[in-house]
Amino acid sequence: MKIQQKQKDDIQVFELDGELDFHTSPDLREKISAEVSKQNHKVVVNLKNVSYIDSSGLATFVEALQKAKRASGKFILAELAPAVKSVFEIAKLDKVFSLAGTEEDACRLAKA
Amino acid sequence: MDKTFHLEANAQELKPFRAALRQLLEHAGFDEKMIQETILAVDECLTNVIRHAYGSKPGKIEVRVQDTPHEVRFSIKDFGHKFDPTQLPEPKLPPEKPGGLGVFLTRQLMDLVEYDPHFREGNLIHLIKYKTNQR
């Protein structure tokens, strides 16, 4: 999995490309955790090019959301492919996360 | 079709296995949604074997895939520590903490999940996905 990180205004945007599973999630967890743990940080993860997610990937995002909340920050997921979104829905995590249709919407939500 | 995969208990094996499994499921006539569900369910079982049966140490996993007229049947065998995922309680949804969703996803996505208590050398789990919605 490729993980690219960029800054848009005061928002850290992660762009992921590949499959998020038990093998690839530890690297992502480490990179995201470093950002969401900072006080008042805004983090957006663009999943446009993620074709697969398993429970390890879900756990990575649940942990990131918890850390962001503790640090009074924002953690938004954007552009989930239908196959990925359906896994969130099965676990009822679509009710917990802010899921944005576009990266721009996600950045607006992060700033709100 | 009756095919057995011989895998190492290594997370790096998961991605190529998923690609190979996709081909078999396409051949079995599954639609895209059923393919995605089945791949995720089997992948979660393998992840559990790597994490719990082998404790992330080296080991062997055998995955037998049988395509029959009405269903695709999986038999996942390992030779590690005893771990019966069917005994785990249902998680609270949505989860309040990370983890604990793998077995839940397998149960949700397959039509049958069965642990064979008679297999003494390790663990043997049977999964079935019907070709039509018979739930």
Side-chain angles (χ1 to χ4, degrees), chain B:
Chain B
M1 179 267 293
D2 187 341
K3 182 175 172 64
T4 300
F5 293 86
H6 298 272
L7 306 173
E8 298 294 326
N10 184 326
Q12 289 182 33
E13 298 258 314
L14 296 173
K15 187 179 176 185
F17 172 74
R18 290 194 298 265
L21 184 55
R22 168 172 281 280
Q23 285 195 332
L24 288 188
L25 296 173
E26 283 170 356
H27 192 258
F30 276 14
D31 64 24
E32 180 57 28
K33 185 168 180 283
M34 289 170 76
I35 289 173
Q36 289 167 2
E37 290 176 353
T38 306
I39 287 175
L40 178 56
V42 175
D43 185 66
E44 293 290 354
C45 274
L46 296 181
T47 297
N48 273 333
V49 170
I50 296 168
R51 290 182 65 191
H52 301 296
Y54 287 119
S56 295
K57 294 191 172 108
K60 303 280 183 197
I61 308 174
E62 288 177 20
V63 184
R64 184 178 181 192
V65 188
Q66 294 168 281
D67 178 16
T68 73
H70 301 294
E71 66 197 31
V72 176
R73 178 184 286 266
F74 299 86
S75 303
I76 301 172
K77 189 187 280 186
D78 71 66
F79 307 92
H81 300 295
K82 287 284 180 193
F83 174 71
D84 179 358
T86 63
Q87 295 302 312
L88 292 180
E90 290 287 317
K92 186 171 177 254
L93 297 182
E96 291 173 347
K97 55 185 182 180
L101 286 174
V103 175
F104 165 75
L105 289 174
T106 300
R107 281 184 187 143
Q108 285 290 306
L109 298 171
M110 298 305 272
D111 294 301
L112 184 139
V113 179
E114 200 173 67
Y115 182 83
D116 185 346
H118 305 296
F119 181 65
R120 294 188 174 183
E121 300 99 294
N123 303 285
L124 177 57
I125 294 168
H126 300 287
L127 309 177
I128 289 177
K129 184 81 165 173
Y130 297 132
K131 291 191 172 180
T132 54
N133 192 358
Q134 298 179 17
R135 269 191 253 201

Side-chain angles (χ1 to χ4, degrees), chain A residues 57-76:
Chain A
L58 293 180
T60 299
F61 293 138
V62 170
E63 184 183 325
L65 182 64
Q66 286 180 333
K67 286 184 174 173
K69 282 183 176 170
R70 278 200 293 270
S72 305
K74 293 280 181 68
F75 183 73
I76 318 282

Side-chain angles (χ1 to χ4, degrees), chain A residues 33-59:
Chain A
S33 185
E35 293 299 332
V36 292
S37 301
K38 295 173 187 168
Q39 204 64 23
N40 298 315
H41 256 229
K42 302 178 179 90
V43 174
V44 166
V45 182
N46 189 330
L47 296 165
K48 182 171 61 182
N49 295 317
V50 173
S51 56
Y52 179 83
I53 188 167
D54 74 351
S55 64
S56 314
L58 293 180

